[in-house]
Amino acid sequence: MIVTVVGTGECHVWWADPEDRPTESLMAVLSDRELERAARFRRDADRRRFLTGSWLLRTTCAAQLGIRPEDVVVDRACPDCDRYHGKPQIRAELPLHCSVSHSGERVVVALTTEGPVGVDVEAVPATPVEELARGALTPRERAALEAFPPAGRYEAFTKVWVRKEAALKATGHGLRISPNKVEVSGPEEEPELLSWPLDIPPAEVRFRRLSPGPGYVGAIAVIGGRGVQVVETHLSTARPVAVPAA
């Protein structure tokens, strides 16, 4: 696997399929704590997504740091409990910010030196989203969603959701903050954070749309990064695609 090196002003995004590599090769570079966490998953599909994300994170970080994947120090400490499920932090001299997400047949890792980053990918739901919207969207966002025809609401909801989760993952809060307290722009508008209950000014959070393929929606959020260029690489094709900076 050839991994590009993240340059100044860049955020690199790598996509992988959890079925592409043998489980043994994924596990070979993981830490004992990562393997222990993987063993607790009841469903094989969930386990493979976690293993693939952990392997991809270590492999891409190793290329940036010039070390072996198994030597990358990944800290997943949770600020609220002693479980090993917090936002991954890379302990190294290089200020390397990272985020991992997975859904269905998509696993994604984002790396940048520009500032805290959050990435999210979601499969577009196959069932009605109205109940999800009541718990996850603000009144303004729900009104915007209801303006879509019923068949268009599935993807529209997902576009809003990935922005919220990417922003909250960038701060490390994740869903400890209710997504209905975070307001973003409409599904067909340029991605923008409008308000949230944190001290970080919304204008400091910069979104970029991602290209996970048909049936999926993805987004990244970088805090403090201005004009960050996103380079996406799908490992199935291994062809980097640069997205112009915002």
Side-chain angles (χ1 to χ4, degrees), residues 38-58:
R40 289 197 291 270
F41 286 98
R42 296 184 178 182
R43 298 177 65 247
D44 182 65
D46 294 333
R47 183 181 305 107
R48 287 195 63 88
R49 281 189 284 266
F50 174 77
L51 290 172
T52 301
S54 299
W55 167 84
L56 186 58
L57 176 63
R58 286 180 169 276

Side-chain angles (χ1 to χ4, degrees), residues 88-104:
Q89 305 284 337
I90 306 303
R91 302 306 181 193
E93 293 184 6
L94 180 70
L96 194 58
H97 303 278
C98 68
S99 185
V100 183
S101 183
H102 40 72
S103 178

Side-chain angles (χ1 to χ4, degrees), residues 186-233:
E188 300 306 314
E189 298 174 338
E190 200 61 29
E192 182 182 1
L193 178 64
L194 303 180
S195 65
W196 63 353
L198 299 176
D199 293 335
I200 302 168
E204 290 294 310
V205 181
R206 307 282 285 190
F207 290 110
R208 298 297 290 155
R209 297 186 181 97
L210 297 178
S211 303
Y216 292 86
V217 176
I220 63 165
V222 180
I223 299 176
R226 296 294 179 178
V228 174
Q229 183 184 46
V230 176
V231 178
E232 296 187 59
T233 300

